[in-house]
Amino acid sequence: MIKKKSLLNYCGLLGVAAFLSYTAAVVFSPLAYPGYNWMAQAVSDLSASNAPSLRLWNQLSSLYNVCTLVCAMMVCVGIQGKKTRLLRTGIYLFTIMEWVSAVGFSMFPLSDSGYAGTFQDKMHIFSTVIVVLLSIVSLVLIIIAGVKDKSSRSYGIFAAIALGMMMVGAMGMNIVPKEYFGIVDQIRNPVAFKRMYK
């Protein structure tokens, strides 16, 4: 018997739309930023307040925040009363991270490429720290839930991959030469691994 898909399941697929929107922004926005070096510069430079690519970035990434938040909220609704409490806690914290990311980075984009030291830049860095901490804590909880409960194993595997990429990227930022900073910045970015909806 084929199980009917609910609206919840279809809303969960918005995670794919979010991923495609973000990918389009990362791939095509540099076309509007003369001299942008993807291997040396952070992705955040493309959406800095004075970046020539800001308008194109906003257009291409317009689906990202909305679709990500809807997807994450649908996962929270769908997981209620299911699986383990530890897994649910991890998913709820991950969703809070998504909200902090969406609001924090929209309110406080970098004022200039790199770091200009303004209040706006400091708030951008503060938002980044909160996002990273919530990402790590939530992913660790999901991994532990996957280890403890067989039915949560797939969640734990995806969380482990995401956390591993974040750690590799973070270590790489302190190891690789400056001309390759952009590469490890993209590796450590958890965005590509935010789609854990099953």
Side-chain angles (χ1 to χ4, degrees):
M1 184 176 176
I2 299 175
K3 188 178 179 181
K4 284 186 71 176
K5 295 288 184 182
S6 67
L7 178 61
L8 208 60
N9 295 112
Y10 289 119
C11 286
L13 292 175
L14 288 174
V16 177
F19 173 75
L20 293 175
S21 177
Y22 182 82
T23 301
V26 171
V27 172
F28 296 109
S29 293
L31 298 176
Y33 193 129
Y36 177 78
N37 183 347
W38 68 273
M39 290 196 300
Q41 291 180 257
V43 175
S44 297
D45 288 357
L46 293 170
S47 58
S49 295
N50 66 346
S53 56
L54 179 61
R55 183 176 178 182
L56 181 58
W57 174 276
N58 287 338
Q59 290 173 327
L60 295 174
S61 66
S62 59
L63 290 176
Y64 171 66
N65 280 336
V66 175
C67 291
T68 297
L69 292 176
V70 172
C71 176
M73 295 303 292
M74 291 303 101
V75 174
C76 287
V77 171
I79 202 76
Q80 282 186 342
K82 299 176 183 176
K83 305 292 183 180
T84 64
R85 184 175 180 180
L86 189 61
L87 178 67
R88 292 196 302 272
T89 302
I91 289 174
Y92 296 155
L93 286 176
F94 195 85
T95 302
I96 292 171
M97 179 275 293
E98 294 284 9
W99 277 96
V100 172
S101 174
V103 176
F105 295 143
S106 294
M107 287 182 68
F108 305 108
L110 287 174
S111 63
D112 197 358
S113 296
Y115 179 74
T118 66
F119 172 77
Q120 184 168 310
D121 295 316
K122 290 175 183 176
M123 291 305 295
H124 181 89
I125 296 302
F126 177 73
S127 298
T128 301
V129 170
I130 300 300
V131 165
V132 170
L133 289 176
L134 284 171
S135 295
I136 292 172
V137 172
S138 63
L139 292 173
V140 167
L141 290 178
I142 293 170
I143 291 168
I144 295 172
V147 171
K148 288 186 171 184
D149 179 38
K150 197 173 182 179
S151 68
S152 303
R153 194 67 42 85
S154 61
Y155 292 91
I157 290 171
F158 283 112
I161 293 171
L163 186 60
M165 293 297 281
M166 285 178 64
M167 294 299 107
V168 168
M171 289 186 293
M173 289 170 70
N174 296 313
I175 297 172
V176 302
K178 285 185 178 181
E179 55 266 28
Y180 298 113
F181 173 84
I183 297 174
V184 291
D185 176 64
Q186 293 180 52
I187 291 173
R188 75 168 174 81
N189 197 325
V191 168
F193 296 92
K194 287 180 179 175
R195 320 291 163 240
M196 293 189 294
Y197 184 78
K198 294 295 284 181

